Amino acid sequence: SILRISLLMDMRHVTGDGELAGKLKSHLVKRVSRSPFLLKYMAREALRFTPPIGFFSNFVVEKSGERKGEMDIKKGGVFPLTQGVRTLAAEHSLLETSTEERILRLGELGVFSAGLSAGIREAYGFFQTLRVRSQAERIGEGEPPDNYISPDRLSSLERDRLKECFRIVVDFQSLIHNKYGLRLLT
């Protein structure tokens, strides 16, 4: 149910009366922003997956199976950022839908520092770039696209940047954990 509410927060008008869709979204955002309990559960979803980076800054990849040597970049990078940003946007009654717009607005509101805002935007963009590139490569190889990337197929510079982006996710998850008091939520 929490993920369904989270997805509704991303609602976009497609057809029909756009004014009705706007009113529905405004009502939903207002209700969610007034519910600390719901915000905590939305925030907890942002912590469900940890970035695939180990203690010694090595990548944590699949050890066996079809995806051996690969990692799910959406689960370990994109999802924690989008869900955490979505939660903060809901708390502050922001109607923006795109993650990038939400990050900018939250930064403007002082929810996080300019440095963290820039880092989150950069990490999100880099994750998406790697994800789309990998999907295009899979399509080119006649395989269905997915969210897995192989760190071995990245340049040394890209691997270093990816590690730094995962560290930003760790910092962001820590912020979310502390802000919403998730140590108290079972």
Side-chain angles (χ1 to χ4, degrees):
S1 296
I2 296 299
L3 285 178
R4 286 188 181 128
I5 289 171
S6 293
L7 291 174
L8 277 174
M9 302 292 295
D10 289 345
M11 172 181 28
R12 293 181 173 120
H13 171 253
V14 177
T15 187
D17 189 346
E19 188 176 329
L20 287 176
K23 286 180 181 179
L24 176 61
K25 184 171 183 174
S26 293
H27 177 74
L28 175 66
V29 168
K30 186 184 296 183
R31 292 291 302 264
V32 171
S33 72
R34 294 180 183 165
S35 176
F37 184 73
L38 185 56
L39 288 168
K40 277 185 190 277
Y41 276 96
M42 285 177 65
R44 187 174 77 167
E45 289 298 312
L47 306 182
R48 184 195 299 182
F49 306 113
T50 57
I53 193 93
F55 186 71
F56 296 108
S57 292
N58 55 331
F59 292 116
V60 177
V61 296
E62 297 292 326
K63 301 292 184 212
S64 62
E66 183 182 332
R67 294 284 169 229
K68 184 178 179 181
E70 297 180 339
M71 66 176 91
D72 187 334
I73 197 162
K74 183 175 181 182
K75 189 163 79 170
V78 175
F79 181 78
L81 292 179
T82 57
Q83 183 62 24
V85 167
R86 183 184 296 127
T87 303
L88 290 166
E91 178 183 352
H92 293 279
S93 300
L94 300 181
L95 296 176
E96 285 81 3
T97 301
S98 89
T99 300
E100 290 150 344
E101 289 173 2
R102 287 173 174 164
I103 294 167
L104 287 171
R105 287 283 292 127
L106 289 166
E108 290 169 1
L109 293 173
V111 174
F112 31 70
S113 70
L116 182 56
S117 177
I120 293 168
R121 280 191 355 260
E122 181 181 326
Y124 179 75
F126 190 61
F127 292 145
Q128 293 291 46
T129 297
L130 292 178
R131 183 172 164 235
V132 169
R133 186 172 76 192
S134 178
Q135 289 174 345
E137 288 170 359
R138 286 190 53 84
I139 290 170
E141 295 166 357
E143 299 289 328
D146 59 23
N147 297 305
Y148 283 86
I149 66 164
S150 174
D152 291 341
R153 294 179 81 172
L154 302 176
S155 71
S156 175
L157 187 62
E158 288 174 322
R159 284 192 302 273
D160 289 344
R161 187 171 177 202
L162 183 58
K163 287 177 185 179
E164 184 56 36
C165 289
F166 283 138
R167 283 187 207 99
I168 290 168
V169 174
V170 168
D171 291 346
F172 181 66
Q173 286 180 317
S174 179
L175 178 145
I176 295 292
H177 183 270
N178 293 331
K179 177 172 180 32
Y180 292 100
L182 297 178
R183 67 193 167 285
L184 305 174
L185 193 62
T186 58

